[in-house]
Amino acid sequence: MAVLRLFRAIVDRLTGLPVEIRGQSMEPTLQSGARLIAARLSLWWGAVRRGDIVVVKPPTHVERLEIKRVLGLPHESISWQGGRIRVNSRLLEEP
């Protein structure tokens, strides 16, 4: 039984990352105070797409993790105009 627990702890550590949501920037999709397990291996199954939710270490605060939604992809131009997001000068449709 102890071996099984150890195996599960190792697998969990390698494949999942526990994250707690703080703040309202991801609402209504994710609520402040919610806890989730972020998949560490999800990039192995395909490229990041617009709208995906990712966990990142910001370059100015590498000791913490932040949850962000992907808005732009490589070689795209992102702008904020009139309270709306534009990708390559086209309005981004948001839910």
Side-chain angles (χ1 to χ4, degrees):
M1 191 63 144
V3 173
L4 183 58
R5 280 192 217 148
L6 177 61
F7 177 74
R8 181 167 181 204
I10 291 170
V11 169
D12 288 349
R13 179 81 173 152
L14 294 174
T15 61
L17 177 68
V19 180
E20 181 178 353
I21 311 301
R22 294 186 189 133
Q24 293 92 19
S25 68
M26 291 299 295
E27 288 183 357
T29 306
L30 301 172
Q31 303 295 317
S32 184
R35 294 181 179 167
L36 56 95
I37 302 293
R40 291 181 189 264
L41 304 177
S42 60
L43 291 180
W44 288 12
W45 298 314
V48 174
R49 297 175 297 180
R50 183 177 292 106
D52 285 354
I53 296 173
V54 297
V55 178
V56 297
K57 286 184 180 180
T60 56
H61 297 94
V62 294
E63 70 281 353
R64 73 175 193 218
L65 298 173
E66 293 185 1
I67 296 179
K68 301 293 180 185
R69 183 179 312 279
V70 175
L71 298 177
L73 301 171
H75 310 293
E76 291 183 333
S77 174
I78 307 297
S79 62
W80 178 268
Q81 298 172 344
R84 301 295 306 263
I85 298 170
R86 294 183 176 273
V87 178
N88 295 332
S89 301
R90 284 188 253 144
L91 195 59
L92 178 65
E93 296 295 325
E94 296 186 80

